[in-house]
Amino acid sequence: MINELDIKYFLCLAETLNFSEVGKQMYISQQAVSKRIAGLESDLGVRLFFRSRNGVVLTAAGRKYYNFFRTVADEFRALQAEVEEKQHTSIKQIHMGYQNWVDCGPAQGTAMAALRQDFPNVYLLGERHSPSKLVELLASGELEIILIHKRFIPKLENVNKLPLITTPMQVVVSKYNPLNKDGADYRVFCESPMLIDALEGESEEASVMRAYQESRRYGFRPSSITVVPNRDSIYTAAELNQGIFFSSFMAVLQGTSLVRYTTDVQETLYCVWRTQYDDMYLELYAKQLQKEYKALTAKYLETREWE
């Protein structure tokens, strides 16, 4: 089988016509050079050199292979230099979106710092949106990569995704809720009125349907469903004891009168990006992000503190 090293030996011998000189330049013995050249000739099925007491001479076939391999080698070096120069001089900005009201922790920054050790011209631009808006911006190409919980992952073609961290979901209630007692289990709220915040462009009917689908994951049978306009509104409504809602363990809760109950339902935060972007930085960053979250998970689940 022809390999790159055999071609290097061949080119060197074709230019020096001296086995000893090839050995010196390539740091191998003269006998090893002779063996590699003989092997190359066997693979190609032609003689590349005439050997005699007076020295070494290229055959006609050898000259043709020399011209071919030299051209390929020169073009390869030129291409390699071009790619390396572009890689080290061009600025690459990764446009990332984060799910709103979710404390994603420091992993995004530490992952980017690790990536920039090898690629110093890569930068991260981040912005926060609701899950539905993240999906819309990913689909349109305005965002290249998003952090989003599994239940909101878009049904798009050509999508890559990596799991980052799995945490329990929670039931959030007002401290004034009469069922809120020390030692209570989250299941005591199974028939309580439920609140759900609408997603952009979602009809009230679709929001109610989504609420019932989510409640079934917990074994809940809410006595009523109230749709509120946004995440801010759901905090206010819950504080006023107008209902309960489900929330991620990673959510940043607004309001001092809200109480969390950890459930048995698990949710996973994913890194999602489109494969149509032929960009190695996205995959490298996603894999580094996964590594950073893995290092933080145990402590975060125990303390709810990232560091």
Side-chain angles (χ1 to χ4, degrees):
M1 180 182 294
I2 300 172
N3 60 52
E4 182 182 358
L5 195 55
D6 288 338
I7 294 173
K8 288 182 178 180
Y9 293 141
F10 166 68
L11 291 175
C12 189
L13 182 58
E15 291 165 358
T16 63
L17 298 177
N18 188 300
F19 281 94
S20 297
E21 184 61 28
V22 175
K24 291 179 183 178
Q25 292 188 26
M26 305 298 287
Y27 301 101
I28 64 172
S29 69
Q30 178 178 337
Q31 291 77 13
V33 175
S34 180
K35 184 176 180 180
R36 297 301 289 262
I37 295 299
L40 180 61
E41 289 178 322
S42 177
D43 289 336
L44 294 174
V46 296
R47 292 190 64 180
L48 300 173
F49 298 94
F50 288 122
R51 301 163 179 80
S52 68
R53 295 179 181 179
N54 296 323
V56 182
V57 178
L58 276 166
T59 64
R63 285 193 295 273
K64 289 182 179 180
Y65 275 112
Y66 172 76
N67 292 333
F68 173 75
F69 287 136
R70 173 47 63 202
T71 299
V72 171
D74 291 343
E75 290 180 353
F76 176 75
R77 281 199 295 269
L79 176 62
Q80 191 175 36
E82 178 185 342
V83 171
E84 287 181 353
E85 181 180 4
K86 183 176 181 180
Q87 177 175 292
H88 288 90
T89 59
S90 62
I91 294 177
K92 166 61 184 175
Q93 295 178 330
I94 295 177
H95 293 83
M96 172 178 273
Y98 312 89
Q99 193 174 321
N100 59 354
W101 300 111
V102 173
D103 179 9
C104 295
Q108 298 80 38
T110 54
M112 179 53 60
L115 184 63
R116 295 191 70 222
Q117 290 181 3
D118 295 320
F119 306 100
N121 296 304
V122 179
Y123 295 89
L124 184 66
L125 298 177
E127 51 191 76
R128 285 192 176 274
H129 297 284
S130 69
S132 58
K133 188 65 174 180
L134 288 177
V135 172
E136 176 188 330
L137 294 175
L138 182 70
S140 68
E142 294 178 65
L143 291 176
E144 298 170 287
I145 190 168
I146 62 174
L147 299 189
I148 191 169
H149 278 109
K150 182 180 180 180
R151 66 187 185 277
F152 299 120
I153 288 179
K155 295 181 179 179
L156 300 173
E157 294 183 355
N158 303 318
V159 167
N160 272 335
K161 55 183 182 289
L162 280 180
L164 300 179
I165 181 172
T166 298
T167 59
M169 290 291 289
Q170 298 183 323
V171 175
V172 181
V173 307
S174 169
K175 70 179 181 181
Y176 304 114
N177 187 310
L179 298 176
N180 175 38
K181 299 177 182 179
D182 290 342
D185 184 271
Y186 75 92
R187 295 176 184 86
V188 300
F189 303 100
C190 67
E191 295 183 356
S192 298
M194 179 179 170
L195 303 167
I196 192 164
D197 49 328
L199 301 176
E200 286 99 337
E202 184 178 57
S203 67
E204 181 171 353
E205 181 181 2
S207 297
V208 170
M209 181 63 66
R210 180 164 55 87
Y212 278 119
Q213 290 174 344
E214 286 194 19
S215 65
R216 283 198 292 269
R217 297 175 66 198
Y218 303 82
F220 278 28
R221 302 176 303 279
S223 59
S224 64
I225 302 288
T226 301
V227 180
V228 297
N230 48 48
R231 180 58 49 160
D232 285 312
S233 300
I234 208 169
Y235 292 142
T236 301
E239 281 195 281
L240 295 174
N241 198 23
Q242 294 175 359
I244 67 167
F245 67 93
F246 302 120
S247 176
S248 164
F249 186 90
M250 300 171 66
V252 179
L253 296 186
Q254 303 296 308
T256 58
S257 68
L258 296 176
V259 180
R260 307 173 189 244
Y261 284 83
T262 299
T263 76
D264 299 324
V265 177
Q266 300 291 304
E267 180 60 287
T268 301
L269 183 71
Y270 272 80
C271 180
V272 181
W273 71 99
R274 299 292 298 274
T275 55
Q276 70 185 66
Y277 305 123
D278 185 18
D279 194 332
M280 68 172 183
Y281 299 116
L282 295 179
E283 183 169 355
L284 288 173
Y285 179 68
K287 289 182 176 179
Q288 185 63 42
L289 196 58
Q290 187 182 53
K291 181 179 179 181
E292 298 295 330
Y293 270 107
K294 184 177 181 180
L296 295 169
T297 295
K299 180 177 184 297
Y300 180 66
L301 289 175
E302 181 181 353
T303 66
R304 205 189 290 274
E305 299 290 336
W306 286 111
E307 293 180 317

